[in-house]
């Protein structure tokens, strides 16, 4: 069931919500979820997935969420998407650990995720559903490894902004400007939606009008200008 509220956001976007019917499983944990492609009911436990992703401690939860969002942004940078979002969340649950910053967490997600995917399909974190399907496993592994290489190179050359920018643009071309002081595609799109003129503030930030900074794309972290 597709639910539409027809109340666009201030950005002009008018998102919809997919409402899926789930039935309690009498003899096991989780729900029966309709599989419209195979015309059957599949077991799943989305409530347990949510509990795992939102569990304490807060520091780990926040870092993992940010790393997963960055991984999802990279995953969708091309028309051919290697992994589904749920697969990345499951990999994040397995390999992002306490005490990591976002960069270390993302590197662990990509490097360890590639190694694990080479051995097996990613298991369901709730242990209810079968392993998560991947359309092209070799392609997915290659993308994870390539992303990890770019991030590791950027971290190892953090003294050279040109190297960092080049490597990060491979991962998030929409959000990293091609030149120092330039605008990313995301920032240009933000200006087009607001109809304002962009300028650089005294502290080096971007602003649409005096004293009104552009909305930061926090879902994917700080944009490199």
């Amino acid at each position: 069931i597709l639910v539409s509220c027809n109340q666009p956001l201030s950005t002009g976007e008018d998102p919809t919500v997919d409402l899926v019917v789930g039935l309690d499983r009498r003899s096991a944990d989780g729900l029966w979820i309709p599989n419209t492609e195979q015309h059957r009911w599949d077991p799943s436990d989305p409530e347990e997935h949510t509990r795992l992703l939102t569990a304490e401690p807060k520091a780990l939860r926040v870092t993992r969420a940010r790393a997963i969002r960055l991984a999802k942004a990279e995953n969708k940078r091309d028309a051919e998407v290697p992994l589904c979002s749920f697969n990345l969340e499951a990999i994040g649950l397995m390999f992002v650990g306490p005490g990591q910053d976002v960069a270390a967490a993302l590197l662990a997600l990509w490097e360890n995720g590639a190694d694990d995917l080479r051995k097996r399909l990613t298991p369901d974190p709730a242990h209810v559903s079968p392993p998560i399907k991947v359309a092209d496993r070799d392609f997915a592994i290659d993308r994870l490894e390539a992303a990890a290489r770019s991030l590791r190179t950027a971290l190892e050359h953090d003294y050279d902004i040109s190297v960092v920018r080049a490597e990060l643009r491979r991962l998030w071309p929409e959000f990293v400007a091609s030149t120092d002081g330039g605008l990313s595609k995301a920032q240009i799109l933000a200006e087009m939606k607001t109809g304002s003129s962009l300028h650089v503030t005294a502290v080096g930030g971007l602003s649409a009008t005096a004293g009104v900074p552009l909305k930061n794309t926090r879902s994917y972290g700080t944009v490199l200008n």
Side-chain angles (χ1 to χ4, degrees):
I1 302 173
L2 184 64
V3 180
S4 179
C5 296
N6 296 315
Q7 291 185 332
L9 302 173
S10 59
T11 59
E13 297 174 282
D14 191 4
T16 59
V17 177
D18 288 320
L19 181 62
V20 179
V21 175
L23 303 177
D24 288 330
R25 300 173 74 202
R26 289 185 178 180
S27 58
D29 294 333
L31 303 171
W32 289 112
I33 303 295
N35 184 328
T36 56
E37 295 180 357
Q38 300 296 325
H39 302 288
R40 69 186 187 210
W41 293 84
D42 290 339
S44 184
D45 197 344
E47 293 176 334
E48 177 64 8
H49 299 154
T50 300
R51 187 194 68 78
L52 290 169
L53 286 166
T54 59
E56 298 294 342
K58 179 180 178 180
L60 173 57
R61 180 178 72 243
V62 171
T63 298
R64 182 174 56 219
R66 290 174 177 172
I68 290 172
R69 284 197 294 267
L70 286 165
K72 287 181 179 180
E74 188 284 327
N75 189 60
K76 294 180 179 179
R77 63 184 167 87
D78 293 325
E80 189 174 0
V81 178
L83 296 170
C84 69
S85 294
F86 178 45
N87 204 331
L88 291 172
E89 292 171 359
I91 292 173
L93 279 168
M94 285 194 292
F95 298 118
V96 175
Q100 296 174 327
D101 60 18
V102 175
L106 186 56
L107 191 61
L109 188 158
W110 280 333
E111 288 185 336
N112 295 330
D115 290 341
D116 194 73
L117 193 60
R118 185 175 289 105
K119 301 170 187 174
R120 60 177 182 172
L121 292 176
T122 307
D124 171 27
H127 308 291
V128 171
S129 304
I132 304 168
K133 294 180 180 179
V134 179
D136 188 335
R137 196 166 161 187
D138 289 336
F139 173 61
I141 292 169
D142 289 344
R143 276 286 294 272
L144 290 171
E145 290 179 332
R149 285 195 299 270
S150 287
L151 180 56
R152 183 171 287 282
T153 299
L155 293 172
E156 291 175 349
H157 295 79
D158 60 353
Y159 53 85
D160 189 335
I161 188 63
S162 63
V163 173
V164 172
R165 185 183 303 281
E167 295 301 330
L168 295 188
R169 270 186 59 80
R170 296 177 190 270
L171 302 173
W172 304 289
E174 297 286 328
F175 301 97
V176 181
S178 59
T179 59
D180 188 22
L183 302 181
S184 69
K185 292 180 181 179
Q187 290 167 327
I188 293 172
L189 181 60
E191 183 205 2
M192 292 172 64
K193 287 182 177 179
T194 60
S196 304
S197 58
L198 292 172
H199 67 275
V200 180
T201 66
V203 294
L206 282 170
S207 178
T209 57
V212 183
L214 278 177
K215 179 181 179 181
N216 192 355
T217 49
R218 292 183 183 275
S219 294
Y220 303 137
T222 302
V223 176
L224 182 63
N225 298 321

